[in-house]
Amino acid sequence: MSPEGHAVISWVAAMSRFHLMERGKGAWRRRHASFLIFRLRSGTDIFCSILLAPCCDKLYTCRLCHDNNEDHQLDRFKVKEVQCINCEKIQHAQQSCEECSTLFGEYYCSICHLFDKDKKQYHCENCGICRIGPKEDFFHCLKCNLCLAMNLQGKHKCIENVSRQNCPICLEDIHTSRVVAHVLPCGHLLHRTCYEEMLKEGYRCPLCMHSALDMTRYWRQLDDEVAQTPMPSEYQNMTVDILCNDCNRRSTVQFHILGMKCNICESYNTAQAKRISLDQQ
């Protein structure tokens, strides 16, 4: 839906009945299905076409509906035909019906065969799929192999083909996901929703344990807490070898129950490697 009209969806959310046709033994047979039509105040119908899946000769409103109901996935690039909901004519995939001129979608990609509301989409040839724009707000990182926000250009750590990895939280695909990807300082990707849930439980990247956000302010607060919490005398001469998850370097520091601070980058995101007792008394 265009920005001008998104606040006033008069979603005539009536469950419209239409005939979903399925090929069987050389003939077409009809079966009814429910379909929710969203109507803008301007009167434009969105999702007024049904995709004819070339893999199973069945009609579905979108590839996701197909994938949720079948034991195989729909190859969006192989879709050749669609059915108009209004006149039920099956025709070559295009933006509007050749029979009744019904608009199938404000946005249509002839490569992905995506029909959608206007979200300033654009087709990225390097990604191979459509992205939500506007296009001028994004660039394609050739090494990460993903479209990223312009404010990350030259300011993110690249990991080759990182978008082709699954999200380490939900283990689902990132590259083709409808959920926005969040780039961590270490370069790894999470779904933004997974990132927000992760921050409720911790602050480390689940893959490399690097801090997932700027923790400087919290580390300085921890400095104050450590200073105000002296260790018992038997622990005051104890040091430990630590490995810092942020700078990946080792150092020897004084043991403290609240945390061991890296001598190099001053992060408390550390792991104890070895304990050394320096008590000579």
Side-chain angles (χ1 to χ4, degrees):
M1 176 184 359
S2 62
E4 302 84 22
H6 73 280
V8 288
I9 289 184
S10 66
W11 50 283
V12 175
M15 292 294 288
S16 270
R17 303 294 293 180
F18 72 94
H19 292 100
L20 184 61
M21 300 181 69
E22 204 172 33
R23 190 175 312 195
K25 296 183 179 179
W28 287 95
R29 57 191 177 86
R30 294 173 179 266
R31 63 185 176 88
H32 287 88
S34 295
F35 185 73
L36 183 61
I37 297 180
F38 291 91
R39 186 182 299 270
L40 301 182
R41 182 155 291 181
S42 63
T44 302
D45 287 328
I46 306 299
F47 308 129
C48 291
S49 66
I50 318 168
L51 304 177
L52 176 59
C55 46
C56 54
D57 279 337
K58 294 180 182 178
L59 287 150
Y60 281 95
T61 53
C62 71
R63 66 179 181 87
L64 300 175
C65 296
H66 171 279
D67 294 349
N68 288 335
N69 286 279
E70 303 292 343
D71 59 1
H72 58 278
Q73 292 188 333
L74 171 63
D75 186 341
R76 71 184 83 182
F77 306 108
K78 292 183 178 180
V79 172
K80 301 298 181 184
E81 295 179 300
V82 297
Q83 182 189 42
C84 175
I85 287 179
N86 286 337
C87 68
E88 298 187 2
K89 179 179 177 60
I90 294 177
Q91 56 200 277
H92 181 72
Q94 53 198 315
Q95 189 167 12
S96 58
C97 178
E98 63 187 34
E99 184 74 18
C100 65
S101 299
T102 295
L103 185 67
F104 294 154
E106 292 175 338
Y107 174 80
Y108 169 62
C109 175
S110 60
I111 300 174
C112 296
H113 301 296
L114 170 66
F115 300 88
D116 204 352
K117 297 173 287 186
D118 180 15
K119 304 170 186 172
K120 307 301 180 184
Q121 300 94 324
Y122 65 97
H123 181 87
C124 175
E125 293 184 3
N126 290 311
C127 284
I129 58 175
C130 291
R131 298 291 188 190
I132 295 178
K135 185 177 182 179
E136 56 268 21
D137 290 349
F138 295 86
F139 75 99
H140 184 90
C141 177
L142 293 175
K143 187 171 183 179
C144 295
N145 206 0
L146 181 70
C147 286
L148 299 173
M150 288 297 295
N151 60 8
L152 291 175
Q153 192 166 18
K155 300 178 182 178
H156 71 285
K157 182 177 180 180
C158 290
I159 297 178
E160 191 166 359
N161 286 325
V162 67
S163 70
R164 298 308 197 270
Q165 302 173 6
N166 288 340
C167 172
I169 301 293
C170 67
L171 304 180
E172 295 185 0
D173 178 60
I174 289 180
H175 185 72
T176 61
S177 175
R178 293 179 295 169
V179 180
V180 175
H182 181 83
V183 185
L184 301 181
C186 57
H188 292 122
L189 298 182
L190 304 176
H191 292 122
R192 180 171 292 279
T193 51
C194 294
Y195 169 74
E196 292 170 353
E197 287 297 315
M198 182 196 74
L199 291 182
K200 297 177 181 179
E201 304 293 335
Y203 64 91
R204 298 185 182 98
C205 170
L207 293 177
C208 66
M209 303 301 289
H210 192 285
S211 295
L213 68 166
D214 185 1
M215 297 290 290
T216 303
R217 184 176 178 181
Y218 178 73
W219 296 154
R220 301 297 74 83
Q221 291 176 351
L222 198 51
D223 280 342
D224 294 338
E225 293 182 23
V226 168
Q228 296 171 19
T229 312
M231 293 294 291
S233 57
E234 60 265 33
Y235 290 100
Q236 289 182 358
N237 293 324
M238 181 178 290
T239 61
V240 291
D241 288 344
I242 61 170
L243 172 64
C244 179
N245 292 317
D246 286 339
C247 69
N248 295 319
R249 299 178 69 176
R250 293 177 180 270
S251 56
T252 301
V253 301
Q254 186 173 358
F255 173 78
H256 199 283
I257 192 65
L258 294 181
M260 276 76 74
K261 179 180 177 179
C262 174
N263 282 337
I264 301 166
C265 71
E266 300 187 334
S267 167
Y268 279 91
N269 182 12
T270 60
Q272 182 175 328
K274 181 181 178 182
R275 186 179 76 177
I276 307 173
S277 176
L278 297 182
D279 186 3
Q280 302 296 328
Q281 300 178 354

